Amino acid sequence: MKVLTEKELIELYDVYFKKLQIACSDIPYQNLHFFENASAIPFVVMHSDFYEYKIIERNLLIKSETTDNADELLYWVFNDILSDLSYQFELLNRVDNQADCRIVAFEEKLRLFRVLNPNWAEACYEQIQVYLKKDSVVLPNID
């Protein structure tokens, strides 16, 4: 698989981000970062034949994933962005007496993923189901 250039990756990221801004109008633009930092800001390291997606906080590696697939890389990037957005949404739209507040956040995350890429929404749904299964919680179907 061909690894995109930094410019091509940014252009593709911007296409998805514009879709996200339409679905969630108050989100400020977030750059796709390509420089290492220790501030827990995710960044991409470009290699000739693969990408690294990393998060470092206080010089401690929090996340490190590699792929040669730009689509998979962008899924990881937007998964982190949408996690933040969906929990902000949940806080603003908390349902009293709901047994598990994560459900509202997960439903919002899936809604936003469907706007970006239906395949990403399906992958996210599967991840959430595995995560919730540990607590014997079931997320309603995404259709």
Side-chain angles (χ1 to χ4, degrees), residues 64-87:
S64 179
E65 301 182 85
T66 60
T67 185
D68 64 354
N69 184 314
D71 189 67
E72 183 175 33
L73 172 68
L74 289 173
Y75 170 77
W76 295 337
V77 170
F78 281 100
N79 191 43
D80 286 342
I81 292 170
L82 296 187
S83 289
D84 291 345
L85 287 175
S86 63
Y87 277 102

Side-chain angles (χ1 to χ4, degrees), residues 79-98:
N79 191 43
D80 286 342
I81 292 170
L82 296 187
S83 289
D84 291 345
L85 287 175
S86 63
Y87 277 102
Q88 289 172 17
F89 176 87
E90 188 280 326
L91 285 172
L92 294 173
N93 298 280
R94 183 152 288 171
V95 176
D96 291 336
N97 301 322
Q98 181 163 354

Side-chain angles (χ1 to χ4, degrees), residues 33-58:
H33 297 280
F34 293 91
F35 56 89
E36 187 170 330
N37 66 82
S39 304
I41 297 171
F43 63 94
V44 176
V45 179
M46 306 282 293
H47 296 275
S48 62
D49 57 348
F50 70 98
Y51 311 97
E52 286 182 89
Y53 182 64
K54 293 184 172 187
I55 301 174
I56 298 173
E57 183 173 11
R58 298 182 189 147

